[in-house]
Amino acid sequence: MAELIAKNPAEPEYHQAVHEVVESLDHFLSEHPKYKHARILERIVEPERIIIFRVPWVDDKGMMRVNRGYRIEMNSAIGPYKGGLRFHPTVNMGILKFLAFEQVFKNSLTTLPMGGGKGGSDFDPKGKSDNEVMHFCQSFMTELHRHIGANTDIPAGDIGVGGREIGYLFGQYKRIANEFTGVLTGKGLNWGGSLIRPEATGYGNVYFAQEMLKTRGEDIKGKTVLVSGSGNVAQFTVEKVNQLGGKVLTLSDSSGYIYDPDGIDNEKLKYVMYLKNNKRGRIKEYADKYGVKYEEGKRPWAEKAQIALPSATQNEINKEEAQLLVSNGCICVSEGANMPSTPEAIEVFLDKGILYGPGKAANAGGVAVSGLEMTQNSMRLNWTAEEVDKRLHLIMQSIHATCCKYGRKSDDYVNYVDGANIGGFVKVADAMMAQGAV
Ligand code: NDP
């Protein structure tokens, strides 16, 4: 860790993500010295390639603007680089390296042949017109296109990159490369996208929570649920919880959270989707419309519920919030977002022995269906929604089984953090060993 921190200074999120994996692997590596001899850990923390580039664009007033673009090509041992693009003003090298690193393990867990990558920009789509977003995306892709390809590196969406942005990015790629290919996932349905891709991360996380609950004879039906965020992952998390008979009490954005004691039913969810995806407004407007509580500048974790599904961003649950969740009767935390719990919060969940599903296992449904989108693109045919959803469900069950295999302790408690880290590591490490000094 000391070496890593010295080599990658001022990247606390990256240090945090690596530290968690190193802790999980400590014992396992002592039992399997071949990985130590091959210096797999030292190699796996070193990105295969990093691309940083200038993204100039002109706003609606004719003013020149400039942002920074990145693509981290982390590991291609088991397949081409695969991982989302994030457009958010907080984006920097450390955050993208943490996301790319987690992606390597997550993609390995899905059972599909995908390496790990991540990218994005400090561009803030909030408050920008469609025209400005398009100009930015076109400029971003004008540089990125030379580094990606259907068999090389296949980006997708993440925070700030949804269907609109993927459309503009794909259009520019096609224009420059002169080929119609599966170079991005999350595409529109009539131009190469897969059914269930928008739903996949949220649905997958709920399937994962369901598997964890099953191990204790519990079910989502009748349970109260806290969800944070109100973007892609949060929206389809609510949809699936509703389908399974649970009640979602909260949603949030970076300004605050709403609390609806009657639950966010499908009708209200439709409004949230309109508010966030079309009107691009703030979650406070939900509180105004339905006359419920809105807490400005706060996160929802002090509310009482049995399940928490964080679906906004990294480090959004700290130690005190974790303690509050548990003391308020929360029995299951399953992460739709990447690394939403701080290390101290995770310690609370594990100490108290509640069901805790880390993002790299619980939210792998998104990239899994991206993998299925790639398969359909290669075959040039489309599966039905039922077919894709069935495969997604099976993949989430398989990830759960892998976590249990590698994470079950002597007292029968499943530490899903260890399970996901070791389970994800083995496949990539074995591939790296087989491929020699790569
Ligand atoms: P969206 O951009 O659709 O939504 C993000 C949501 O989180 C918004 O409500 C946003 O609020 C909120 N948010 C973003 N940054 C912050 C912040 N710093 N503090 C508080 N709230 C914040 O993104 P997604 O739903 O796609 O992604 C959510 C999480 O899920 C991320 O951690 C992402 O990495 C992870 N994830 C996404 C996958 C996918 O398929 N999309 C796959 C796997 C993981 P506001 O509008 O105010 O910014």
Side-chain angles (χ1 to χ4, degrees):
M1 280 307 300
E3 210 175 283
L4 179 103
I5 292 168
K7 244 183 164 176
N8 304 272
E11 296 179 357
E13 292 85 1
Y14 186 47
H15 307 159
Q16 181 182 335
V18 174
H19 189 255
E20 183 203 286
V21 169
V22 169
E23 270 198 328
S24 283
L25 289 175
D26 195 27
H27 184 63
F28 179 80
L29 292 181
S30 304
E31 282 180 342
H32 301 84
K34 64 176 181 178
Y35 298 120
K36 276 192 173 173
H37 294 148
R39 299 185 77 80
I40 295 292
L41 210 48
E42 288 84 344
R43 283 195 269 158
I44 214 169
V45 299
E46 195 64 33
E48 287 179 16
R49 187 178 302 109
I50 295 180
I51 300 134
I52 307 181
F53 50 100
R54 179 203 294 164
V55 189
W57 57 282
V58 177
D59 70 17
D60 286 349
K61 295 192 182 99
M63 290 269 290
M64 180 63 77
R65 305 272 201 113
V66 63
N67 286 95
R68 182 174 288 180
Y70 305 84
R71 186 71 185 165
I72 318 277
E73 297 184 335
M74 198 74 190
N75 194 302
S76 62
I78 62 167
Y81 311 107
K82 178 91 197 90
L85 296 171
R86 177 175 291 191
F87 292 168
H88 195 269
T90 57
V91 161
N92 59 37
M93 182 77 99
I95 287 180
L96 293 180
K97 267 156 89 175
F98 118 63
L99 289 163
F101 183 70
E102 294 243 306
Q103 197 79 48
V104 173
F105 296 79
K106 182 188 303 190
N107 292 3
S108 162
L109 285 168
T110 64
T111 71
L112 303 174
M114 300 182 289
K118 199 86 189 185
S121 172
D122 57 0
F123 173 75
D124 187 359
K126 241 181 264 146
K128 305 284 190 306
S129 69
D130 285 352
N131 197 42
E132 290 176 323
V133 171
M134 182 179 75
H135 284 142
F136 173 80
C137 287
Q138 290 180 337
S139 181
F140 185 86
M141 185 52 87
T142 300
E143 173 57 34
L144 187 68
H145 90 277
R146 64 186 100 247
H147 308 289
I148 61 176
N151 294 309
T152 313
D153 184 352
I154 306 94
D158 189 72
I159 291 177
V161 180
R164 174 182 61 169
E165 290 75 14
I166 293 290
Y168 296 148
L169 291 163
F170 184 75
Q172 185 71 350
Y173 180 87
K174 188 164 58 68
R175 187 153 68 150
I176 299 175
N178 192 28
E179 56 176 27
F180 194 112
T181 166
V183 66
L184 292 162
T185 57
K187 298 186 291 300
L189 270 185
N190 52 2
W191 41 280
S194 173
L195 286 160
I196 306 294
R197 176 60 190 92
E199 293 86 346
T201 309
Y203 279 20
N205 186 29
V206 179
Y207 291 148
F208 193 85
Q210 208 180 15
E211 290 303 307
M212 291 200 292
L213 288 164
K214 247 195 241 167
T215 65
R216 298 199 178 169
E218 297 278 0
D219 191 358
I220 283 176
K221 195 167 184 194
K223 298 266 189 315
T224 46
V225 183
L226 306 178
V227 176
S228 64
S230 48
N232 169 266
V233 178
Q235 292 169 15
F236 289 105
T237 298
V238 177
E239 186 166 287
K240 185 51 81 179
V241 169
N242 287 349
Q243 276 173 23
L244 297 177
K247 181 157 106 171
V248 178
L249 301 175
T250 62
L251 279 174
S252 70
D253 59 23
S254 48
S255 310
Y257 79 89
I258 59 102
Y259 177 84
D260 188 339
D262 297 330
I264 299 162
D265 61 23
N266 289 339
E267 207 44 47
K268 293 170 180 168
L269 176 61
K270 231 160 115 189
Y271 170 70
V272 173
M273 288 178 168
Y274 160 75
L275 176 66
K276 285 292 169 179
N277 309 344
N278 301 101
K279 189 172 175 215
R280 300 189 187 270
R282 310 306 297 157
I283 200 66
K284 179 181 183 302
E285 295 168 54
Y286 179 104
D288 299 339
K289 182 172 167 71
Y290 295 108
V292 300
K293 178 169 90 170
Y294 171 70
E295 293 277 358
E296 175 82 22
K298 289 195 183 154
R299 305 190 284 223
W301 313 123
E303 301 292 350
K304 199 174 153 75
Q306 292 146 304
I307 299 173
L309 304 174
S311 307
T313 193
Q314 64 273 0
N315 293 328
E316 55 163 321
I317 304 181
N318 62 27
K319 181 179 176 180
E320 291 69 37
E321 290 165 321
Q323 283 165 337
L324 267 174
L325 279 170
V326 176
S327 63
N328 278 333
C330 179
I331 56 166
C332 173
V333 177
S334 196
E335 297 181 339
N338 283 310
M339 210 167 76
S341 309
T342 64
E344 298 76 27
I346 297 173
E347 227 175 280
V348 172
F349 299 144
L350 299 181
D351 273 0
K352 300 287 181 190
I354 70 161
L355 297 166
Y356 167 66
K360 64 169 80 76
N363 71 34
V367 73
V369 173
S370 273
L372 301 179
E373 182 174 330
M374 289 160 67
T375 307
Q376 294 169 78
N377 290 164
S378 298
M379 296 193 301
R380 301 201 186 283
L381 57 78
N382 301 316
W383 289 327
T384 62
E386 291 71 33
E387 173 78 32
V388 180
D389 195 27
K390 197 171 91 194
R391 286 176 189 267
L392 167 65
H393 204 155
L394 285 173
I395 289 171
M396 296 318 296
Q397 287 174 329
S398 147
I399 296 172
H400 182 266
T402 302
C403 290
C404 291
K405 176 176 167 192
Y406 289 104
R408 194 176 296 283
K409 303 295 163 188
S410 50
D411 61 359
D412 229 31
Y413 176 67
V414 178
N415 181 324
Y416 289 89
V417 179
D418 287 355
N421 287 335
I422 300 169
F425 174 81
V426 171
K427 188 170 155 193
V428 177
D430 286 345
M432 289 172 74
M433 303 259 290
Q435 291 168 22
V438 292

